[in-house]
Amino acid sequence: MAVYRFAYIAVLVASLVFSQAYAGHLSSVVLITVIALPIVSLVLTFIVKTTFTVTFDTSAETIEKNKTLRVRVFIKNNFLFPSSSTYISASMPGLSEKKDARLIFSLSPFQMKNLNLTYTAEYRGEYDISFDTACFYDYFKIFKLKKKIGLHKKITVTPRIIDVASDNGFFAVSDEESENQSINSSKGERSFTRKYAEGDDVRNIHWKLSSKQEDYMVWQNAENLASQSVIVCDMTHCGATDKEKAVHTDAVLESALAVALYNLKNDCNSLISFYDIKSQKTENLPIEHLSHLYKTASLAASVNSYEGDPSFYTECKKHFTDNNSVKGTAVLITPHCNRELAKLAEELAVFSDVLILMTGEAEKGIRQYIKSIRNVTVAELDPWNVVRDLPAAVGKLYSM
């Protein structure tokens, strides 16, 4: 814009010199025109700014991590003159800072423009998508006017639900199937479907799904399951930067969801437990059918890591050693492989089997010591490659 201003000043000076050197009607008209045109342009641009409207919508308010979010922007010029160069300042979700975008365009009289944007969230959490201000240049690009838009929308990014038994690593069911599962499970009847096996009751065949799968599929009952796993997530800080903390926290929660899904498919209920620093209480979420799994993933989207009390040690003790605690196989998911974890494993191994999934580096000598404890099974994964490592890690825990 500075170039256009310098150009206008040069034309204005030339007009002034011309009017002084050649005093007359023509030179005066030229000077007045050069002075008046930017003013008229400014007035028209101000009216365009006043009548200009912006709205936007998103394809969803809750999406899974690494899935694409579509943002559709609707922009309209409600004036009978076209708008000159216009740009809108938009902010998309980011981990530690917003990612700014600038949308530049022009609109004809009464024209509506639709802009389609896409964004993929790298980490789970709650983010704001915002369209803050619109800037309008006049037709000569001498003046710039700003208009406050102030449109915001909160987007929830949930951790991934990873199916360790799937070829591509991700768990997915059709909308119809998910709805049916939720309806049936809410009655305490069925939780998921599987392939027909010899001896299954034909009354449990899911005929509609069977026709799509080209194989007989039956409802799997989830009543009166005898076994249970208590999955305790270590939400204490790990990592020096915000990015490292997000990676480790996501790895812990996604591992918990993957283990719960594996248990669910093998007739085993789960209880996912983690400490929520916002509410300052421990969340204990039962996983007895798919709707519970989705709900837990949604709740886990806003959980932050923390430092200080309560420690992972005290959280686990609540579940497995108190008189009124929940009993079951202990599944500990933590990025901290230290002496406290070794002490915890020793104590819990007295009461139940202990499965430990390590998502971080171990202190020297601690890893081998924990692996040597009776009734304790240990698996490891790289938090930066959760999808790649989880099948092998869960397989090791459950001797698949």
Side-chain angles (χ1 to χ4, degrees), residues 130-193:
S130 62
F131 291 81
D132 301 318
T133 58
C135 294
F136 303 83
Y137 291 106
D138 74 300
Y139 300 102
F140 295 101
K141 292 184 174 58
I142 299 174
F143 304 103
K144 181 174 76 171
L145 302 178
K146 287 187 177 182
K147 181 176 183 177
K148 184 72 174 178
I149 300 176
L151 296 177
H152 299 268
K153 195 167 189 177
K154 180 174 287 187
I155 301 298
T156 301
V157 181
T158 66
R160 296 167 294 186
I161 299 178
I162 301 171
D163 187 353
V164 296
S166 173
D167 292 336
N168 61 10
F170 293 101
F171 176 66
V173 294
S174 66
D175 293 338
E176 179 184 4
E177 180 69 4
S178 178
E179 182 180 355
N180 287 336
Q181 289 166 344
S182 297
I183 291 172
N184 289 325
S185 296
S186 66
K187 299 176 182 178
E189 295 174 352
R190 299 156 174 164
S191 60
F192 58 87
T193 57

Side-chain angles (χ1 to χ4, degrees), residues 108-120:
S108 302
F110 303 107
Q111 180 188 3
M112 174 176 278
K113 195 177 191 71
N114 297 338
L115 301 176
N116 294 302
L117 309 176
T118 59
Y119 178 78
T120 303

